Amino acid sequence: MTAETLTISGLSKPASRIALGTWAIGGAMWGGPDDANAARTIEKALELGINVIDTAPVYGFGHSEEVIGRALQGKRDQVILATKVALNWQDGKVFRDSRPARIEQEIEDSLRRLRTDCIDLYQVHWPDTKTPLEDTARALEKLVKAGKVKALGVSNFSPAQMDEFRKFAPIATIQPPYNLFEREIEADILPYAVKHGLAVLAYGPLCRGLLSGRMTADRQFEGDDLRRTDPKFQQPRFGQYLTAVEDLKAIADKYGKSMLALAIRWVLDRGPTIALWGARKPEQISGVDEAFGWTLEEADMTAIDTILTRDIPDPVGPEFMAPPTRS
């Protein structure tokens, strides 16, 4: 399969417009780790033409990075390796921390776990309002100059925060939540990215599985599954979102595509976007090729908006996932 690609400033190779998201590979909040399947998932992604792997230290408290590091031995030059910085944790509780000392520690930990000497894309995971953005940006720019990082990105930043960061270091990417059901970035972040030439790494394009087309109303979420606290998965909203998915399938059928492919294609048609397709088993990324090689007609974009307005009278965003600031 030949994947569609997008150029990211500062990187020498074009990025596939679908990336492998590895939060679930870390295990935490996703039912525990499954390393053998995780390794096979990474191998399958490469076979399908995906060359961007996105991770973070907080995914399994380092476990996702370790699994990826092992899986990429002998294949490191095939991928754009993206990880993050500026979340800390204590006793399993996560909080924002982008102090220079934390960054200096995290880069060394990530390089070791990923078994590499350079990270292609290093992203600030969440803005830390207790640390001046100048301090954070200058600390990250030092890593670029030292050859430990090729390009910088931010995640969950507002345009104002990006403006402040860019006074001291360049940004190549922004990573916000974005999918058919969570569209807040269309008001400000997406136009900002277009204006400033940033690639948008859209996380959650399948909205925690809601847009996979495989979820049913009797689905139970157990243990530490984050969907137990996601308002979208609580009734009556859960039923409303599932109704919308059923209605959206009619548009997917028009193109001879799956619901999953429609959800990804919609993200790819909205701008300079890369969809972060999360998976922990090889079969969960089957169908990637369905999302490439076609576009949604404008009339169908309008029909999608009509379905969402009709079926979901009280939509909610992904705010529940935001970690707290430092105490």
Side-chain angles (χ1 to χ4, degrees):
M1 181 195 72
T2 301
E4 297 173 24
T5 61
L6 186 72
T7 298
I8 295 178
S9 177
L11 301 185
S12 58
K13 68 176 68 174
S16 57
R17 293 196 68 200
I18 291 177
L20 179 64
T22 63
W23 184 4
I25 282 176
M29 305 184 79
W30 293 96
D34 183 353
D35 294 357
N37 263 323
R40 287 192 286 268
T41 302
I42 293 167
E43 180 67 30
K44 183 67 174 178
L46 297 179
E47 290 175 5
L48 290 170
I50 294 173
N51 75 341
V52 180
I53 297 179
D54 180 82
T55 188
V58 77
Y59 298 165
F61 304 117
H63 190 71
S64 177
E65 288 188 329
E66 290 172 351
V67 171
I68 292 166
R70 291 194 298 268
L72 290 182
Q73 289 299 288
K75 305 168 187 172
R76 172 66 182 91
D77 60 349
Q78 297 179 30
V79 305
I80 292 172
L81 190 52
T83 192
K84 305 180 188 76
V85 66
L87 284 184
N88 204 340
W89 56 86
Q90 187 171 9
D91 300 324
K93 297 187 182 300
V94 176
F95 54 93
R96 310 182 195 196
D97 187 353
S98 67
R99 291 172 291 183
R102 175 62 182 168
I103 292 170
E104 290 169 7
Q105 174 189 336
E106 280 204 80
I107 184 64
E108 298 305 327
D109 289 343
S110 288
L111 289 171
R112 172 179 48 80
R113 288 190 291 250
L114 290 166
R115 303 188 183 193
T116 187
D117 57 2
C118 181
I119 290 165
D120 298 306
L121 178 62
Y122 206 39
Q123 305 156 96
V124 182
H125 207 152
W126 284 85
D128 171 14
T129 56
K130 292 192 173 183
T131 300
L133 280 172
E134 177 179 358
D135 294 354
T136 301
R138 291 191 185 281
L140 290 168
E141 180 69 356
K142 286 182 181 179
L143 300 182
V144 175
K145 291 178 178 177
K148 296 180 179 181
V149 172
K150 291 182 181 177
L152 299 175
V154 294
S155 180
N156 303 296
F157 270 48
S158 69
Q161 289 166 331
M162 286 189 278
D163 276 339
E164 180 66 15
F165 189 103
R166 291 172 60 241
K167 292 178 183 177
F168 311 104
I171 294 174
T173 63
I174 170 68
Q175 185 172 149
Y178 191 42
N179 56 65
L180 274 160
F181 293 150
E182 296 169 336
R183 300 174 56 173
E184 291 82 358
I185 74 166
E186 292 174 359
D188 51 5
I189 293 170
L190 194 54
Y192 185 97
V194 172
K195 179 180 179 181
H196 295 285
L198 309 182
V200 178
L201 277 67
Y203 73 79
L206 299 178
C207 200
R208 276 82 70 198
L210 260 180
L211 288 161
S212 68
R214 302 165 183 163
M215 196 162 286
T216 58
D218 59 356
R219 175 72 180 271
Q220 298 293 313
F221 306 102
E222 301 175 348
D224 64 352
D225 194 312
L226 82 162
R227 288 168 291 192
R228 294 185 67 187
T229 56
D230 186 338
K232 287 184 176 62
F233 293 84
Q234 318 305 317
Q235 296 292 2
R237 282 196 178 101
F238 189 31
Q240 294 167 358
Y241 280 100
L242 290 177
T243 296
V245 170
E246 288 304 309
D247 291 341
L248 289 167
K249 284 180 180 178
I251 296 177
D253 290 342
K254 173 183 173 181
Y255 294 88
K257 303 294 183 180
S258 66
M259 180 61 227
L260 187 149
L262 173 72
I264 297 295
R265 186 70 249 173
W266 183 89
V267 170
L268 299 184
D269 283 349
R270 303 300 289 185
T273 49
I274 293 172
L276 288 166
W277 188 313
R280 58 184 295 172
K281 298 177 181 179
E283 58 268 26
Q284 291 173 339
I285 56 171
S286 62
V288 162
D289 54 335
E290 265 199 286
F292 291 133
W294 60 289
T295 59
L296 281 157
E297 297 174 5
E298 191 59 38
D300 291 320
M301 285 290 197
T302 301
I304 287 170
D305 292 345
T306 299
I307 289 170
L308 300 182
T309 301
R310 181 188 67 220
D311 292 347
I312 308 171
D314 185 25
V316 290
E319 297 83 6
F320 80 101
M321 292 193 291
T325 55
R326 285 184 288 116
S327 60

